[in-house]
Amino acid sequence: MSPVFPGRYTTQIEGPFVVFLIGLRVNRLWALHQWLPVARAMGPMMRELLASPELGLLSAQTILYWRGVGLVQYWRSFEALESFSKNPKASHLPAWKRFNQAVGASGSVGIWHETYLVEAGAYECVYSNMPRFGLARAGTHQPATGARETASRRLGRDGDPTVPSYDNP
């Protein structure tokens, strides 16, 4: 379990990066034979990516929601993400082909993804009394004080706190 950092923190990532959201939605609960293989395909992909940082994955976290599971992934670049997705030697391409053949347009399970290209400095985040989470796992973890105290300041703009911040321990 990750330690909780008391106080307010933010993160910084050098250069542009990609936020990639991907997941599945079970549309027919009784179609276990179609959606379970799709759900199981994520594990090998994540193990492959985490074992090989040179592929470009910076960090990832699983999210669960009613009828589905997803991943929030942070990538160094779109080119790295696309290269992994199309690599015939990687685990993704065979899983994609299996999905198209086994599930296709049957409607029993849905898959989705969203890709966001983030320019350097065009993001802000804050974490209060949290373990390293989300983007903070992909970048450097820094106290959200001074020039990093408010959302506006973290984006390089002026802005005083609307509500007084508490002191970081």
Side-chain angles (χ1 to χ4, degrees):
M1 181 183 268
S2 299
V4 171
F5 293 90
R8 298 176 72 245
Y9 289 83
T10 188
T11 195
Q12 181 177 349
I13 293 184
E14 294 298 321
F17 61 95
V18 173
V19 179
F20 183 64
L21 310 176
I22 186 168
L24 70 89
R25 181 182 191 280
V26 175
N27 296 324
R28 296 187 186 126
L29 295 174
W30 60 91
L32 185 72
H33 67 285
Q34 287 197 309
W35 61 260
L36 191 57
V38 177
R40 286 185 173 162
M42 278 297 187
M45 283 184 250
M46 288 309 305
R47 283 189 292 278
E48 180 180 5
L49 287 164
L50 293 172
S52 302
E54 70 277 4
L55 294 175
L57 180 71
L58 300 174
S59 178
Q61 288 184 282
T62 303
I63 54 173
L64 299 173
Y65 54 94
W66 172 237
R67 290 192 175 225
V69 62
L71 289 167
V72 178
Q73 299 180 342
Y74 301 93
W75 287 78
R76 174 54 31 216
S77 67
F78 177 76
E79 291 73 23
L81 169 60
E82 187 175 46
S83 176
F84 175 73
S85 75
K86 294 180 176 183
N87 183 347
K89 295 179 182 175
S91 56
H92 176 265
L93 192 57
W96 184 3
K97 289 177 181 177
R98 282 192 309 271
F99 175 85
N100 285 352
Q101 293 168 349
V103 178
S106 75
S108 60
V109 60
I111 57 172
W112 57 270
H113 78 252
E114 299 176 359
T115 307
Y116 302 93
L117 309 178
V118 182
E119 295 300 322
Y123 63 92
E124 75 82 26
C125 53
V126 69
Y127 310 92
S128 184
N129 302 319
M130 291 284 295
R132 285 185 74 174
F133 180 86
L135 193 58
R137 291 179 54 189
T140 59
H141 198 225
Q142 304 171 344
T145 57
R148 295 186 286 270
E149 184 176 6
T150 69
S152 291
R153 289 181 191 171
R154 289 188 293 275
L155 288 168
R157 301 173 179 163
D158 292 329
D160 292 326
T162 304
V163 174
S165 300
Y166 52 85
D167 291 333
N168 270 15

